[in-house]
Amino acid sequence: MDVDKAKTKRKLYVGQELEFRRDNMEVISPMKDGTVTDWDIVDNIWNHAFRRRLLINPEEHPMLIAEPSTNTAQQREKAAELMFENYKVPALFLAKNAVLTSFASGRATSLVVDSGGGSTVVSAVHDGFVLQKSVATSPVGGEFLTDCMMKSLESKGVVIRPRYSFKKKEISPGEYKIVDLDLPNTTESYRLYCMRAIASDIKESVCRVPDTAFDEVAYANVPTTSYELPDGQTIEVGADRFKIPDILFNPSLSQQTIPGVDGFADSMSVRGLPRMVIDSINRCDVDIRKELFSNILLSGGSSSILQLKERLEKEVLEESPQAARVKVMASGNSVERRFSVWIGGSILASLGSFQQMWFSKAEYEEHGVSYIQRKCP
């Protein structure tokens, strides 16, 4: 976002356009904890997707939009209004992320554990509908773990130089010297955005979910793994390789062992993954709990999700009723996991029986935007 204070008009750059540093460019996200906080930016992202990437005219295509299980009625109506008023779409349908992930795996009933960038959401899906009373959320997602990695490295004296802030100068064949660049008009948000991208790559490259709960003493002498930063310096990552992913299971680790990590707004309600799974299932009717225990689906793009699957299955089994058969499933293909919502959406939209479920433009004009709540429960 290029801020021109004189005109107070925003020039927006989307996606890959952020790779190039610009003076006074702020980086902002329209989402917080999976919920839209800036509809003007969402509108611009959609416009970019339709006109620049997909190269389509939205007036010629019905739109299926995936939404989080925690979406409010107000948010749903705003999305519908934007689609019908700004993009003149002929028809619209809003489907829950968890339902689409369940469809992608060929199931109509499952417990979906979606660990995304901004948050982790656990939702029970029964016969193709989310049971709202079962939805459990946590602010611990990929971005929070990236911040923990960054703060932990900083506390050990590691300096992460953003790629734009230096250049390599050859002083002799094969030998380079790092020269820092003076770029005073770089915003703090852009600097942090670039540093987080590097910290995220470190996290994805070296971290592994430990088989058992992380213990500072037990992991003190664990072998380190090397990682080369963009400026050429090589760092050694030891216990953090296992500590950072374990925050998913024990969120309090982040405050107890990593200096500078912000506390949660409501730390008492932030639970680890196994507890969230058990609590979500216990909020459902007794008749379907057994089926949910044996159909727990993991979605998300994490590279260590297969270790996460084994650990989660083990810990849920320890706390579940004796008669329950616990089965946690995750696709071995990271692309399928990352795009499970999209895959489920393509399956749903191609069903013959689905065609009568669209919320049409005629219905929108006749009944108003609130009718979306009846058409897309």
Side-chain angles (χ1 to χ4, degrees), residues 174-228:
E175 194 178 338
Y176 295 89
K177 178 185 171 189
I178 298 297
V179 179
D180 288 323
L181 302 176
D182 184 25
L183 300 164
N185 293 326
T186 306
T187 61
E188 181 64 8
S189 64
Y190 186 73
R191 188 182 74 85
L192 280 172
Y193 167 77
C194 295
M195 288 171 67
R196 279 198 184 102
I198 297 167
S200 179
D201 190 62
I202 297 171
K203 178 192 75 180
E204 289 289 328
S205 302
V206 307
C207 285
R208 293 290 175 268
V209 177
D211 297 332
T212 54
F214 178 83
D215 177 79
E216 201 79 52
V217 177
Y219 282 86
N221 298 315
V222 74
T224 61
T225 296
S226 301
Y227 183 91
E228 186 178 342

Side-chain angles (χ1 to χ4, degrees), residues 24 36 38 46 87 127 200 227:
N24 304 313
V36 175
D38 191 325
W46 283 349
Y87 296 101
D127 287 343
S200 179
Y227 183 91

Side-chain angles (χ1 to χ4, degrees), residues 63-194:
M63 294 291 165
L64 189 152
I65 299 181
E67 60 173 355
S69 301
T70 51
N71 223 14
T72 62
Q74 186 185 7
Q75 295 259 320
R76 307 178 93 218
E77 288 175 15
K78 181 64 183 175
E81 190 182 308
L82 259 183
M83 278 293 167
F84 284 122
E85 297 295 340
N86 287 24
Y87 296 101
K88 309 280 192 280
V89 299
L92 175 72
F93 192 81
L94 300 182
K96 298 278 192 284
N97 291 342
V99 171
L100 299 181
T101 291
S102 198
F103 286 169
S105 75
R107 291 171 174 78
T109 298
S110 67
L111 187 84
V112 178
V113 180
D114 184 2
S115 192
S119 60
T120 295
V121 182
V122 179
S123 318
V125 177
H126 183 61
D127 287 343
F129 292 94
V130 167
L131 304 178
Q132 286 301 138
K133 62 185 176 183
S134 74
V135 178
T137 63
S138 162
V140 179
E143 289 164 15
F144 181 77
L145 298 186
T146 295
D147 279 347
C148 289
M149 173 61 84
M150 204 157 78
K151 296 268 171 53
S152 185
L153 291 173
E154 282 172 2
S155 72
K156 295 175 173 67
V158 174
V159 177
I160 298 177
R161 282 193 183 95
R163 293 175 193 275
Y164 69 81
S165 67
F166 65 89
K167 67 176 182 179
K168 290 182 178 178
K169 188 177 179 183
E170 192 168 19
I171 49 175
S172 62
E175 194 178 338
Y176 295 89
K177 178 185 171 189
I178 298 297
V179 179
D180 288 323
L181 302 176
D182 184 25
L183 300 164
N185 293 326
T186 306
T187 61
E188 181 64 8
S189 64
Y190 186 73
R191 188 182 74 85
L192 280 172
Y193 167 77
C194 295

